[in-house]
Amino acid sequence: MSTSPGAGNGYCDCRFCGARLRHTFVDLGMSPLCQTHIAPEQLNHMEPFYPLRAYVCHECFLVQLEEYVAPGDIFGDYAYFSSYADSWVEHARRYAEAMTRRRGRGAHSRVVEIASNDGYLLQHFVRAGIPVLGVEPAANVAQVAVEKGIPTTVRFFGRDTARAIASETGQADLLLGNNVLAHVPGLNDFVAGMQILLKPRGVITMEFPHLYRLMERNQFDTIYHEHFSYFSFFTVEKVFAAHGLTIFDVEELDTHGGSLRIFARHADNGALPVVPAVAALRRRELDEGFARLETYAAFAEQVRETKRAILEFLIGAKRTGKTIAGYGAPGKGNTLLNYCGIRQDFLDYTVDRSPYKQGKFTPGTRIPILAPERIRETRPDYVFVLPWNLLDEIAGQMSYIREWGGKFVVPIPRVRVL
Ligand SMILES: [Zn+2]
C-alpha cells in the first residue's frame, strides 16, 4: 500500500502526479472517521479525530485528502451494506441489464467487481448465468455476499491482487467498480492493477461522484476521510491514460448527487472508438475553469456560508419550540454534523434502516441512532434528512409524517423545508 510521502509531517504530495500540495480546497476542521459508530459501552471513551482538509493539486487538479488512517482500519469491519438502499439496488439492476443486453455480456464473459460489497450488483449477473468474482476488502461484508452464493475474495485491490486473480481465475471481460475509485489511497497502484486484470478486448466501467457536481451543488459533506480523491473528468482521463487505459465513453448519472460512469479500454484496442461525449465533457469542464486554481478557491467560503445557514435554521426552530429528528447516519451526515457542531442540542435522535447502526451513536456528535419506527412514535415537527441523495425514497417511505404536520428538512445544497 502506498502512502503520501511526508504524510504526518504537515506536507503531502499529490497521490497521482507527486507534486507537493500547496493549495487548500476546503478545511472542514477536525472530524472522526465516518463509519466508527459508537456502541453504548464506548460512550465514556475518547475518540480519535483527524483533520478533514482537502487540497487541490496545482499540476493535475486532483482534489484530495491526505491519508491519515490505513485503509485496513477503515474497511476491516465496515458498516455499509449497499442492499439497505432500495434505489441503489435498483440502479445496480438496471446497470447489469444494460451491460448484459446492450453490451453483449453473456455466459462466455467473466465479470469482476472491485469493492463488490454485499453482492448487491453481482447477484444480477449470477442470475443471468454469467461467471463473476467479487473483490471486497471488508470481511464481514464479503461474508454476506458469499452466503448469497456470490464468489468473493477478501482483498484490497492493486497490482498484486490483479496479478493473483489473473493467474488464479483469468482476466476480466468486464471489470467494474462503483464508488471505489475515490476511496483508494494508492490511486496509481489501483488503476495499474485494473490494466493488468483487463483482457485485451475487455471493458472497464467505474462510477464515482463528479467533482463538477460536488462544487456546483455544494456537496461539501461528501468529503470525508474514507473518500481520498475527488475527480473531474479531465483529471480522471489523465490518471487512466498514465496507465495505458483510454476512456472511450462517459455518462452523467444522478446517483450520489451527480456521478460519472466511465467506460475504459486498453489504449491499443481500436475496436472501441472514443465517442463524442468524451471530448464534449472535457471541453465543458475546461470552459468552466476546472484547470484554474481560482475556480477551486471560491468553494471554501460557500461552505462556511452553508454552515451559517444550517445553524440559523436549527436555532430558529429550537427557539420556537420545535422538535427535530434526524434521518440516516451516512458518511456524509458525519461530516455535516461534526463540521456544523450539531448534536442532541438540535437533533433528538436520528434513525437508520441498517440494524448494524441501530442502538449506536453517531461518531463525534454522539446522537443516538434508532430504528425508523421511532419517528412515528415521537412525531417530530421536522425530519432532518442527512442522506439527501435518497430524499425521494425517504420522503416516500416516511410520508406519514404529514399526518401530524411534520416536514422534511434538507440541508444541501441549501436549507429547504419540504
Ligand atoms: Zn497532481
Side-chain angles (χ1 to χ4, degrees):
M1 187 194 68
S2 72
T3 53
S4 331
N9 301 329
Y11 298 112
C12 58
D13 295 336
C14 175
R15 68 168 38 86
F16 168 54
C17 76
R20 176 61 47 89
L21 297 175
R22 296 199 294 256
H23 303 277
T24 298
F25 175 59
V26 64
D27 187 348
L28 298 168
M30 298 290 286
S31 210
L33 298 181
C34 76
Q35 292 293 347
T36 50
H37 300 95
I38 305 297
E41 62 272 20
Q42 297 170 311
L43 279 174
N44 287 344
H45 299 183
M46 63 177 183
E47 275 180 82
F49 278 57
Y50 303 88
L52 190 51
R53 174 196 281 178
Y55 295 89
V56 58
C57 175
H58 59 280
E59 293 285 340
C60 70
F61 298 98
L62 180 64
V63 170
Q64 56 198 291
L65 299 184
E66 201 174 336
E67 180 185 345
Y68 297 99
V69 192
D73 294 339
I74 297 176
F75 298 107
D77 187 21
Y78 205 49
Y80 185 75
F81 289 83
S82 299
S83 296
Y84 286 107
D86 293 341
S87 53
W88 186 243
V89 172
E90 172 60 14
H91 173 74
R93 191 193 61 74
R94 285 199 308 266
Y95 166 84
E97 193 181 85
M99 292 307 285
T100 43
R101 285 202 190 145
R102 283 195 273 131
R103 306 231 177 213
R105 302 292 152 189
H108 55 283
S109 303
R110 177 167 187 77
V111 177
V112 178
E113 184 182 12
I114 307 168
S116 50
N117 203 271
D118 56 8
Y120 73 99
L121 194 156
L122 286 178
Q123 62 185 347
H124 300 294
F125 289 102
V126 169
R127 272 182 216 138
I130 298 169
V132 305
L133 178 67
V135 185
E136 169 55 50
N140 63 324
V141 179
Q143 184 58 34
V144 174
V146 170
E147 284 162 13
K148 285 196 277 192
I150 296 152
T152 304
T153 176
V154 179
R155 287 190 249 203
F156 281 99
F157 189 79
R159 289 182 181 93
D160 292 344
T161 296
R163 285 191 199 102
I165 293 173
S167 73
E168 288 158 19
T169 57
Q171 288 172 306
D173 295 278
L174 174 60
L175 178 58
L176 64 112
N178 291 338
N179 297 301
V180 59
L181 196 62
H183 295 260
V184 172
L187 180 61
N188 285 313
D189 185 52
F190 185 92
V191 179
M194 289 198 295
Q195 197 271 345
I196 290 167
L197 189 52
L198 187 68
K199 275 190 187 170
R201 291 293 170 114
V203 170
I204 292 170
T205 77
M206 306 219 94
E207 292 176 27
F208 48 86
H210 191 188
L211 178 62
Y212 183 102
R213 297 292 173 209
L214 185 157
M215 290 168 69
E216 178 194 60
R217 299 177 186 173
N218 197 29
Q219 297 160 352
F220 70 88
D221 57 341
T222 62
I223 297 171
Y224 43 81
H225 297 106
E226 293 83 343
H227 194 171
F228 296 110
S229 305
Y230 304 81
F231 298 99
S232 60
F233 180 65
F234 86 98
T235 294
V236 86
E237 265 195 305
K238 283 191 237 181
V239 175
F240 275 62
H243 296 284
L245 296 167
T246 298
I247 297 176
F248 66 93
D249 198 358
V250 59
E251 295 170 5
E252 292 183 76
L253 310 172
D254 283 333
T255 47
H256 293 279
S259 296
L260 292 182
R261 176 185 289 156
I262 56 167
F263 297 78
R265 51 141 166 100
H266 287 286
D268 59 7
N269 174 11
L272 293 166
V274 179
V275 307
V278 169
L281 181 54
R282 187 195 308 130
R283 185 75 260 156
R284 201 166 96 219
E285 288 186 346
L286 294 174
D287 286 348
E288 298 203 20
F290 277 74
R292 289 199 308 268
L293 283 172
E294 310 86 89
T295 308
Y296 298 87
F299 187 69
E301 177 52 26
Q302 178 183 316
V303 171
R304 288 190 287 266
E305 177 51 30
T306 305
K307 171 176 177 170
R308 292 189 284 262
I310 291 170
L311 289 174
E312 203 164 54
F313 168 80
L314 292 171
I315 291 168
K318 294 310 285 184
R319 283 212 170 120
T320 51
K322 299 285 196 274
T323 53
I324 314 170
Y327 188 99
K332 59 172 74 72
N334 183 52
T335 294
L336 187 123
L337 296 174
N338 278 287
Y339 173 63
C340 295
I342 299 167
R343 302 181 182 80
Q344 272 190 289
D345 40 11
F346 290 116
L347 304 188
D348 296 336
Y349 59 86
T350 190
V351 299
D352 199 283
R353 287 173 79 191
S354 170
Y356 295 87
K357 295 180 186 173
Q358 291 167 8
K360 294 185 176 172
F361 296 79
T362 57
T365 49
R366 308 289 180 102
I367 298 169
I369 307 168
L370 308 172
E373 295 70 44
R374 185 60 66 95
I375 290 193
R376 198 189 280 279
E377 291 160 25
T378 65
R379 301 160 71 97
D381 296 304
Y382 293 115
V383 173
F384 192 81
V385 179
L386 293 165
W388 40 256
N389 53 308
L390 302 177
L391 175 65
D392 292 345
E393 179 177 338
I394 292 162
Q397 287 164 6
M398 313 282 298
S399 58
Y400 58 78
I401 72 168
R402 308 294 183 195
E403 291 166 20
W404 61 83
K407 295 189 169 84
F408 296 101
V409 180
V410 190
I412 301 292
R414 57 195 157 71
V415 182
R416 283 175 299 151
V417 178
L418 306 163

